[in-house]
Amino acid sequence: MPSTTTDSDGTQPGTGKRRAPLNRTTVVAVGRRLARDEGLTAVTLRRVAGELGVTAMALYRHVGDKRELLVAMLDEVAEELVIPDGAGSPSDRLVLAFRALHDHLTAEPWVAEVLRGGELFGPRAARFVEHVLALLAEAGLDDEQAADAYWALWWYTFGHLSYLPALGPEARPARRELMTRVGMDDHPRLARLLSRPPHAGAAEDLFVPGLRALLRGLLAD
């Protein structure tokens, strides 16, 4: 049986795949594409290597393990975030900042899944946190109040992002089936609420009003 050989970068001859330049940038790009298109479970070093036409061992020069790959993916997303800082009150600029964050992460739904674990984050996200804390200080909050306000704003945004997949059409049949088990005659207000089920567009429309309401409470004298 003929032996299988690889070149110095771990390329598998005869695969028919056109190999992209193998570096950290291309590895991260493939990881992000897989996460967006197929979900986080698709992001393994073996799968990324296969997409690049190399062996998994070849990736270790660029990312040490899956954890490092996920951090690099998060860091790239954080770097791409454009933080607006126009004129207006601190409250108005906080709305702009969190709306920008929300819109940015909506396009990368896997990020919320990674962050839900509580351990990993992109180090370059620090500039967003610093920006928000500066605005909260400008609004008159001391360090402790600003920290509490930051977490409240982040949890609100993160919760919204985390629930968006549940509003997609693929989740509706199972949700409708479960609702048939609820005795609606005993829950008239719930019945009225469910007669107007949420959808992703409505959730998007409600994000900023909810954010403004939260800020009014946080920044109240």
Side-chain angles (χ1 to χ4, degrees):
M1 173 182 261
S3 61
T4 300
T5 59
T6 60
D7 69 12
S8 60
D9 280 333
T11 304
Q12 298 173 341
T15 61
K17 293 187 177 181
R18 183 179 180 181
R19 204 189 82 191
L22 185 60
N23 52 47
R24 190 177 177 90
T25 298
T26 55
V27 171
V28 170
V30 170
R32 288 180 64 181
R33 175 173 58 78
L34 288 172
R36 282 193 302 266
D37 295 348
E38 301 182 35
L40 206 55
T41 57
V43 183
T44 65
L45 293 189
R46 183 181 297 275
R47 178 68 188 280
V48 171
E51 293 291 314
L52 288 167
V54 302
T55 64
M57 288 297 294
L59 298 188
Y60 291 127
R61 278 184 268 177
H62 308 287
V63 291
D65 52 24
K66 181 176 177 177
R67 181 183 186 278
E68 185 178 339
L69 173 58
L70 291 175
V71 170
M73 290 162 58
L74 291 171
D75 211 28
E76 188 172 89
V77 171
E79 183 182 28
E80 292 170 356
L81 173 63
V82 177
I83 305 174
D85 190 24
S89 68
S91 180
D92 288 339
R93 285 180 284 160
L94 284 163
V95 169
L96 288 176
F98 276 94
R99 180 59 192 264
L101 176 67
H102 179 275
D103 290 350
H104 188 55
L105 296 187
T106 297
E108 304 275 354
W110 58 269
V111 171
E113 187 176 348
V114 176
L115 296 180
R116 194 176 297 122
E119 178 201 4
L120 304 183
F121 66 94
R124 281 180 277 196
R127 66 189 178 93
F128 176 83
V129 180
E130 189 69 21
H131 175 74
V132 169
L133 291 174
L135 289 175
L136 292 169
E138 186 180 337
L141 275 59
D142 62 28
D143 287 349
E144 184 176 355
Q145 292 169 328
D148 290 343
Y150 170 79
W151 287 118
L153 291 164
W154 166 242
W155 289 329
Y156 170 76
T157 305
F158 180 73
H160 194 273
L161 290 166
S162 297
Y163 194 66
L164 283 178
L167 302 180
E170 63 278 1
R172 290 173 190 164
R175 188 165 55 241
R176 282 196 296 267
E177 189 277 328
L178 287 172
M179 289 308 168
T180 62
R181 307 182 192 181
V182 179
M184 290 302 175
D185 291 342
D186 298 327
H187 303 89
R189 292 178 179 82
L190 175 60
R192 289 195 293 273
L193 174 67
L194 295 179
S195 69
R196 301 177 61 189
H199 55 83
E204 295 287 346
D205 293 341
L206 291 172
F207 175 73
V208 169
L211 182 62
R212 290 191 183 279
L214 178 58
L215 279 165
R216 284 195 296 272
L218 292 170
L219 303 182
D221 294 333

